[in-house]
């Protein structure tokens, strides 16, 4: 009897050992095998990892080589490659040509865009088409039409001349599906405050340009979240009278002489000794973000640059770029260019000190503005942030990954690589922490769990290349 009990006990032990030693089978749809994962928060690299993806979600991450068994539909070999979150362009104008731009964006590793002047009816159609997989493209976060004062800088803008008009526009755009509200240069202070207050009531973020007549301190107080282009932010640390006293009327914000005056004023009166004041203001009431769009600034400076005019990337646009750009020039073009260059250099100097003090930056291009190309120019923006503005490679990568996710309140899905996050990932052949230019070395893209290899991404580019 004792012998039988002993045999049974030994058998149970052996069976238990057998099942405990049998490798567990991990199931999923896609496996990235033996790839190096860049922690976008710390800069640490986890070497030789397996990333298991189920549907559109990262289901688990394991160390490669521990004899895990996987049951998956597809395996991607990642040896020697680097994995980062998919990139975001946080300042675009694309709703009218989004379906044309989408392949260019994906080919350049961009998985999300922030549309800054959206036609909401069209935006909602695009979002629906993306959700129904009618075409492949980045997700869209969009404002409605820009809210400006009278007269508006562009015909597509909506005018708010009174506080109640401002509130009404915010409510209307909210009901039409706007993700946030964008404001512009020409708003009166009382109207701007009303818009900010209505945004708070409705749970909307207010972003865009700092209006000419609104003090920076007030904008921070009422909750302006992103300052795009830095124009009037930089002006607030200039000597002399306020910009609003320079303007007897408003003209086009991009080509009018008043815009030239604003840039010229800032360039001539900028006072570096007041920089600390700017830091203190921007960090006085919660987190603030700046989207500088330096690529666009360089494009404005180089309107006459024949090298830029011959840029091969123009062949991917849905229109033919004019060789004669004189229509964009102002009456005092020489002064404008000279002062814009001065302004640009001063703006670049602000980036690293502001970043070190906790102000966060967002990578944005403002495509399709002058020499800003969908997809391509985001990499150029990252290079400017490192090579000219002084950010580290990691800090620059954060402006296109984790910072956008935090700002958009999408950190539960995007921004870093970990279990449970959305599987929108970029596979690189070279380490971008060694050189920011390595973001160009795209081997493949995973968008919402769907894998596109380099050959497929190249076909996206080819599909949009205009034959000349």
């Amino acid at each position: 009897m004792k012998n039988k009990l002993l045999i049974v006990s030994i058998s149970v032990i052996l069976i238990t050992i057998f099942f405990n030693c049998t490798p567990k089978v991990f199931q999923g749809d896609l496996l990235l095998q033996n790839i190096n994962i860049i922690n976008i928060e710390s800069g640490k690299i986890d070497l030789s990892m397996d990333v298991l993806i189920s549907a559109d979600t990262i289901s688990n991450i394991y160390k490669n080589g521990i004899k895990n068994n996987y049951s998956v539909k597809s395996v991607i070999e990642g040896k020697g490659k680097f994995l980062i979150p998919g990139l975001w362009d946080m300042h675009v104008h694309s709703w009218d040509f989004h379906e044309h731009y989408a392949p260019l964006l994906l080919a350049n590793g961009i998985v999300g865009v922030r549309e800054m002047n959206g036609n909401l009816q069209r935006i909602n159609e695009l979002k629906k088409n993306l959700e129904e997989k009618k075409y492949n493209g980045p997700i869209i976060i969009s404002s409605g039409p820009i809210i400006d004062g009278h007269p508006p800088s562009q015909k597509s803008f909506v005018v708010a001349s009174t506080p109640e008009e401002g509130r009404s526009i915010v409510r209307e755009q909210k009901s039409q599906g706007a993700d946030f509200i964008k404001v512009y240069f020409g708003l009166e202070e009382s109207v701007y405050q009303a818009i900010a207050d209505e945004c708070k009531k409705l749970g909307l973020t207010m972003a865009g340009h700092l209006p000419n007549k609104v003090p920076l301190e007030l904008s921070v107080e009422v909750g302006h979240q992103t300052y795009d282009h830095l124009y009037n932010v930089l002006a607030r640390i200039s000597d002399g009278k306020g910009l609003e006293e320079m303007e007897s009327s408003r003209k086009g914000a991009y080509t009018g002489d008043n815009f030239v005056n604003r840039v010229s004023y800032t360039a001539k009166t900028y006072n570096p000794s007041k920089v600390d004041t700017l830091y203190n203001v921007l960090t006085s009431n919660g987190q603030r973000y700046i989207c500088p769009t330096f690529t666009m600034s360089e494009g404005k400076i180089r309107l006459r640059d024949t090298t830029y005019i011959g840029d091969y990337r123009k062949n991917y646009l849905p229109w033919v770029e004019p060789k004669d750009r004189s229509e964009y020039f102002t009456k005092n073009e020489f002064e404008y260019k000279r002062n814009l260059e001065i302004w640009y250099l001063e703006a670049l100097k602000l980036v690293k000190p502001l970043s070190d003090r906790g102000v966060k930056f967002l990578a944005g291009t403002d495509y399709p503005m002058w020499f800003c190309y969908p997809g391509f120019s985001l990499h150029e923006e990252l290079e400017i942030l490192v090579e000219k503005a002084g950010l580290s490679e990691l800090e620059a990568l954060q402006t296109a990954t984790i910072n956008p996710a935090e700002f958009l309140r999408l950190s539960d899905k995007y921004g870093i690589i970990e279990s449970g996050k959305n599987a929108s990932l970029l596979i690189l052949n070279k380490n971008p922490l060694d050189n920011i230019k390595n973001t160009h070395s795209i081997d493949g893209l995973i968008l919402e769990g769907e894998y596109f290899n380099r050959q497929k991404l190249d076909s996206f580019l080819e599909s949009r290349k205009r034959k000349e």
Side-chain angles (χ1 to χ4, degrees), residues 315 461-468:
N315 295 324
L461 292 176
E462 191 62 28
S463 73
R464 293 299 182 261
K465 189 173 183 180
R466 186 166 18 86
K467 305 298 188 293
E468 292 188 313

Side-chain angles (χ1 to χ4, degrees), residues 44-327:
K44 177 186 175 185
I45 301 177
D46 294 320
L47 302 174
S48 303
M49 305 300 291
D50 293 344
V51 181
L52 186 63
I53 295 169
S54 300
D56 63 354
T57 302
I58 300 171
S59 54
N60 265 306
I61 299 174
Y62 306 98
K63 181 68 178 177
N64 179 261
I66 59 174
K67 297 184 179 179
N68 287 330
N69 281 348
Y70 299 103
S71 176
V72 295
K73 298 175 184 177
S74 301
V75 177
I76 302 168
E77 177 55 50
K79 185 176 181 180
K81 296 177 173 41
F82 297 85
L83 190 67
I84 64 172
L87 304 174
W88 284 72
D89 190 330
M90 291 294 285
H91 193 118
V92 311
H93 297 277
S94 68
W95 63 265
D96 46 351
F97 289 104
H98 184 75
E99 288 166 317
H100 179 94
Y101 297 148
L104 303 176
L105 297 167
L106 296 184
N108 283 281
I110 295 170
V111 301
V113 296
R114 185 175 66 137
E115 166 63 52
M116 300 302 289
N117 185 28
N119 177 311
L120 290 172
Q121 181 179 350
R122 178 61 177 148
I123 290 292
N124 290 332
E125 290 174 1
L126 291 169
K127 288 182 176 181
K128 186 173 184 289
N129 290 341
L130 285 170
E131 186 177 347
E132 295 176 353
K133 303 291 185 183
K134 291 184 177 178
Y135 73 102
N136 293 308
I139 68 170
I140 305 169
I141 303 297
S142 182
S143 74
I146 292 171
I147 307 176
D148 200 1
H150 181 79
S153 296
Q154 295 188 30
K155 292 180 180 180
S156 63
F157 296 178
V158 293
V159 173
S161 298
T162 68
E164 186 47 47
E165 283 182 355
R167 290 181 185 277
S168 177
I169 292 170
V170 172
R171 290 193 294 268
E172 180 182 11
Q173 292 193 4
K174 169 71 172 179
S175 70
Q176 293 174 347
D179 297 302
F180 66 98
I181 299 297
K182 182 179 177 183
V183 295
Y184 211 66
F185 288 130
L187 289 170
E188 297 291 334
E189 183 177 312
S190 61
V191 180
Y192 173 83
Q193 285 185 278
I195 290 171
D197 184 62
E198 198 66 25
C199 284
K200 283 184 179 179
K201 290 179 180 178
L202 298 178
L204 288 170
T205 296
M206 184 176 71
H209 298 221
L210 176 62
N212 297 335
K213 298 183 180 181
V214 175
L216 180 62
E217 291 83 355
L218 175 62
S219 73
V220 171
E221 180 183 331
V222 301
H224 194 125
Q225 287 297 301
T226 68
Y227 297 95
D228 292 77
H229 312 308
L230 270 174
Y231 291 130
N232 283 346
V233 174
L234 197 60
R236 292 318 193 239
I237 51 172
S238 294
D239 285 325
K241 296 182 179 180
L243 285 172
E244 66 276 8
E245 296 183 16
M246 296 174 50
E247 298 187 338
S248 58
S249 64
R250 281 177 32 75
K251 298 180 182 178
Y254 295 110
T255 59
D257 290 334
N258 283 316
F259 179 68
V260 177
N261 289 341
R262 289 197 292 274
V263 172
S264 299
Y265 171 89
T266 303
K268 292 175 181 177
T269 63
Y270 175 74
N271 185 348
S273 68
K274 294 186 177 182
V275 169
D276 281 336
T277 301
L278 176 62
Y279 303 149
N280 294 335
V281 171
L282 286 174
T283 57
S284 64
N285 185 27
Q287 185 63 63
R288 289 293 172 277
Y289 296 82
I290 291 174
C291 188
T293 64
F294 287 137
T295 307
M296 181 272 293
S297 296
E298 290 202 353
K300 281 188 174 183
I301 292 170
R302 295 173 177 173
L303 274 175
R304 296 181 183 273
D305 191 324
T306 56
T307 302
Y308 264 53
I309 291 173
D311 195 315
Y312 77 94
R313 296 173 296 180
K314 67 180 174 43
N315 295 324
Y316 293 100
L317 296 175
W319 58 78
V320 177
E321 288 280 85
K323 293 182 179 180
D324 179 11
R325 291 179 171 269
S326 58
E327 65 178 289

Side-chain angles (χ1 to χ4, degrees), residues 383 386-387 393 430-439:
E383 290 167 24
V386 172
E387 297 170 359
E393 276 79 4
K430 299 178 181 179
N431 184 359
L433 298 181
D434 289 340
N435 188 327
I436 196 62
K437 284 185 170 64
N438 289 342
T439 59

